[in-house]
């Protein structure tokens, strides 16, 4: 087992997911500017890697996990909303339509970088404007596309094609497989008090 595992994220949902894999890990918030370019896949891969590298540059003796998620609809990237008005606008764009959620996980350790990107397709149902407003005011900030599958945002979702953990923001199976193949995960590292999402 590697000496230190660090999650380069301030996201509570990513922290909760990682707790299902490892009993002990540290959280260090990366200091990067999250700038989106025109290509959604390139954006998530660049930002996930930048987050991991930014933290690894400070610690060097650890395995650092970075991740990034964006929502894409009709070729437009929806990142984290700037404010409540932006959150409502993003949610309204998604109502009744299919969209893509792209998540990349980057793992950086001494002498190695690993990236894995996955896409899930999500269809939103139509909901009343009051529900959009309620959600935006209480849940949207800090979430790509202004929603999260793991909270009340699940009421928006009519259908998902792909891994739900891509939508939540940290594909647990991909991450586990990487750590398992490297010999950095065993049943002894797994928590016994994990709750899961579903």
């Amino acid at each position: 087992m590697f000496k230190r595992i660090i999650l380069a994220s301030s996201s509570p949902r990513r922290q909760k997911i990682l707790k299902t894999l490892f009993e002990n890990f540290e959280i260090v918030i990366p200091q990067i500017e999250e700038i989106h370019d025109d290509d959604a896949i390139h954006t998530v891969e660049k930002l996930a890697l930048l987050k991991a590298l930014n933290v690894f540059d400070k610690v060097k003796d650890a395995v650092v996990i970075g991740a990034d998620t964006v929502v894409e609809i009709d070729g437009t990237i929806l990142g984290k909303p700037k404010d409540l008005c932006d959150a409502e606008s993003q949610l309204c764009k998604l109502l009744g339509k299919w969209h893509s959620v792209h998540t990349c996980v980057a793992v950086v350790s001494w002498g190695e970088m690993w990236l894995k990107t996955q896409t899930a397709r999500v269809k939103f149902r139509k909901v009343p404007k009051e529900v959009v407003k309620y959600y935006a005011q209480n849940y949207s900030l800090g979430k790509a596309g202004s929603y999260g599958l793991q909270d009340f945002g699940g009421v928006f979702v009519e259908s998902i094609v792909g891994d739900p953990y891509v939508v939540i923001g940290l594909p647990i199976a991909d991450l586990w497989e990487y750590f398992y193949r490297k010999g950095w995960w065993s049943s002894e590292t797994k928590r016994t008090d994990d709750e899961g999402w579903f």
Side-chain angles (χ1 to χ4, degrees):
M1 183 61 198
F2 208 89
K3 190 174 180 183
R4 295 173 72 192
I5 295 171
I6 297 176
L7 177 63
S9 177
S10 62
S11 165
R13 65 189 181 283
R14 288 193 178 115
Q15 294 166 19
K16 186 172 182 180
I17 293 169
L18 197 59
K19 283 179 183 176
T20 66
L21 289 182
F22 297 108
E23 185 171 0
N24 296 308
F25 64 90
E26 300 166 52
I27 297 162
V28 178
I29 299 171
Q31 304 299 315
I32 68 159
E33 192 174 356
E34 295 193 29
I35 298 174
H36 297 165
D37 55 34
D38 293 334
D39 184 89
I41 300 292
H42 182 259
T43 294
V44 292
E45 290 179 346
K46 174 184 71 177
L47 292 177
L49 187 56
L50 283 174
K51 290 174 185 178
L53 286 170
N54 177 265
V55 171
F56 183 76
D57 192 48
K58 299 169 189 163
V59 293
K60 303 287 188 200
D61 65 338
V63 175
V64 179
I65 301 163
D68 195 71
T69 301
V70 297
V71 170
E72 182 180 23
I73 184 165
D74 300 328
T76 300
I77 295 173
L78 304 181
K80 296 171 185 169
K82 299 180 204 72
D83 51 36
L84 293 178
C85 185
D86 190 30
E88 285 187 45
S89 174
Q90 287 191 3
L91 291 170
C92 287
K93 284 179 189 172
L94 300 174
L95 294 180
K97 298 178 184 173
W98 283 94
H99 61 272
S100 297
V101 181
H102 310 285
T103 294
C104 178
V105 179
V107 179
V108 176
S109 58
W110 190 254
E112 183 170 319
M113 286 187 287
W114 174 83
L115 286 175
K116 179 74 182 275
T117 304
Q118 275 204 67
T119 298
R121 296 278 294 153
V122 179
K123 185 176 182 196
F124 264 26
R125 60 175 42 91
K126 291 187 178 179
V127 299
K129 181 74 173 173
E130 66 188 87
V131 175
V132 172
K133 191 174 188 65
Y134 165 77
Y135 189 84
Q137 289 175 346
N138 293 282
Y139 295 96
S140 285
L141 297 183
K143 294 184 171 91
S146 298
Y147 78 96
L149 179 64
Q150 71 283 358
D151 56 34
F152 184 76
V155 304
F156 293 109
V157 178
E158 184 176 297
S159 185
I160 297 176
V161 178
D163 182 353
Y165 281 91
V166 170
V167 183
I168 295 172
L170 193 67
I172 191 173
D174 292 336
L175 198 55
W176 168 82
E177 185 176 35
Y178 173 79
F179 276 82
Y180 185 74
R181 278 187 322 207
K182 299 293 288 183
W184 295 340
W185 185 95
S186 72
S187 57
E188 286 77 34
T189 68
K190 195 201 173 293
R191 292 177 66 96
T192 56
D193 62 343
D194 60 296
E195 299 169 10
W197 288 110
F198 304 106

